[in-house]
Amino acid sequence: MQRSVQQACVLLATVLCTVGADLWPQLCSNASTPASRCPDGSTCCHSTFSQSTWGCCPWPGAQCCSNGLTCCPQGHVCTDSRPNGWPGWGLVTTCVPEGGSSKTNVTGVAVCKYGPPLPPSTTLKNVLVIGDSVSIGYTPFVATALQSEALVQHAPWGGDGGAEETAYGVQCLDYFMRSASGVPFSADVVMFNWGLHDGPQLFDSPPANVTIPGQEGAMDVYAPQLANITARLKQYATSTGVCFNLMCRWIFQNYRYFCCKRDVWYLCVSILHGSIELCECR
């Protein structure tokens, strides 16, 4: 529903009053703005493709791997493997127990990158684009086209493949919806896409349907993992009154968006025609 000016003022006051309480307790670095932090139950780790160079491993007391991409549970050693000819990011980390422990090997997970770097605008609509490198590429054009109407930001805050494969989205979605310091991000529109990193072979290597945590996933797990992400974003939309839309993986077949219209307005982008529209729901 459309918020009145009074409601917006109350919302802003609430956000300003609770920012201190929302900050994640673990300080990773003050070098970035906002400062990089992680929540309890996680570990600060360097992240090569995070704009702040930091991210959060979902395990407490974790071993951050020297590759700058993955991490292992406490008491394990990072052991990377990468087939000949694969790109540098095409590695899988096996977490081996230290000192011959009876613990079993586990597969390392990717370090979660943070959400948008700037706080929500108090004078414009706020648009959050969550997606892979394609969305990283078009977000600046969307931001320019809508600069008089909205502050447009991308999550995660970083480069490479952005939100990567759906398994990474399931793991890191809560981080994408917060700033690097842990403050929840309030958006009017959330536009999201996953699929480019779930199954298709994009380069000479790796092959299709290979699992590389934080980079690539298999096609057969795409649908249930996207359903998980969608359900959580719908819950976010319901609790915040946000309008959102979903870009399906089929954009790479028919070049169009499937927009879910909610609330007062929504954003539609067509890569094929290069058009950007700010629409009112009817």
Side-chain angles (χ1 to χ4, degrees):
M1 69 182 69
Q2 189 173 21
R3 296 190 181 98
S4 66
V5 173
Q6 292 86 351
Q7 287 174 311
C9 291
V10 171
L11 176 62
L12 175 60
T14 302
V15 170
L16 292 176
C17 289
T18 58
V19 160
D22 286 329
L23 289 176
W24 283 329
Q26 297 185 65
L27 178 63
C28 305
S29 172
N30 273 322
S32 63
T33 304
S36 301
R37 293 176 174 269
C38 286
D40 285 333
S42 66
T43 303
C44 295
C45 286
H46 278 291
S47 177
T48 298
F49 297 117
S50 170
Q51 194 65 37
S52 72
T53 74
W54 287 93
C56 301
C57 176
W59 289 313
Q63 175 65 50
C64 302
C65 301
S66 60
N67 57 44
L69 299 172
T70 58
C71 59
C72 286
Q74 187 176 34
H76 289 73
V77 177
C78 304
T79 303
D80 295 336
S81 61
R82 178 169 57 89
N84 290 335
W86 284 28
W89 49 260
L91 57 85
V92 174
T93 299
T94 299
C95 303
V96 181
E98 292 178 327
S101 167
S102 59
K103 297 177 182 177
T104 58
N105 292 354
V106 297
T107 301
V109 299
V111 176
C112 290
K113 293 169 278 192
Y114 299 120
L118 301 178
S121 172
T122 58
T123 58
L124 302 171
K125 296 286 188 179
N126 288 282
V127 175
L128 184 61
V129 180
I130 304 176
D132 52 36
S133 57
V134 173
S135 63
I136 292 175
Y138 67 64
T139 293
F141 296 97
V142 178
T144 298
L146 299 181
Q147 60 185 338
S148 64
E149 300 279 350
L151 172 63
V152 181
Q153 299 190 74
H154 190 276
W157 181 34
D160 185 43
E164 311 290 358
E165 81 282 17
T166 47
Y168 187 68
V170 169
Q171 174 191 317
C172 301
L173 186 63
D174 292 340
Y175 292 92
F176 298 167
M177 303 304 295
R178 290 173 177 261
S179 73
S181 59
V183 177
F185 186 84
S186 178
D188 297 287
V189 172
V190 176
M191 182 168 67
F192 63 103
N193 79 276
W194 269 272
L196 185 59
H197 291 256
D198 288 88
Q201 181 172 353
L202 304 177
F203 309 102
D204 291 339
S205 62
N209 286 312
V210 65
T211 298
I212 304 173
Q215 292 291 339
E216 300 288 335
M219 196 174 296
D220 60 354
V221 298
Y222 173 79
Q225 289 175 340
L226 185 62
N228 175 299
I229 293 168
T230 303
R232 289 159 64 188
L233 284 175
K234 282 183 177 179
Q235 185 176 26
Y236 170 83
T238 300
S239 63
T240 61
V242 72
C243 174
F244 77 99
N245 58 39
L246 164 66
M247 185 184 84
C248 295
R249 67 177 299 120
W250 315 120
I251 184 171
F252 297 102
Q253 294 183 3
N254 62 18
Y255 296 96
R256 65 181 177 181
Y257 281 97
F258 295 82
C259 295
C260 175
K261 296 192 293 185
R262 300 182 73 249
D263 259 328
V264 180
W265 66 299
Y266 66 100
L267 186 71
C268 291
V269 179
S270 169
I271 290 181
L272 182 63
H273 299 101
S275 63
I276 300 170
E277 280 184 82
L278 184 62
C279 318
E280 286 189 359
C281 297
R282 301 186 181 217

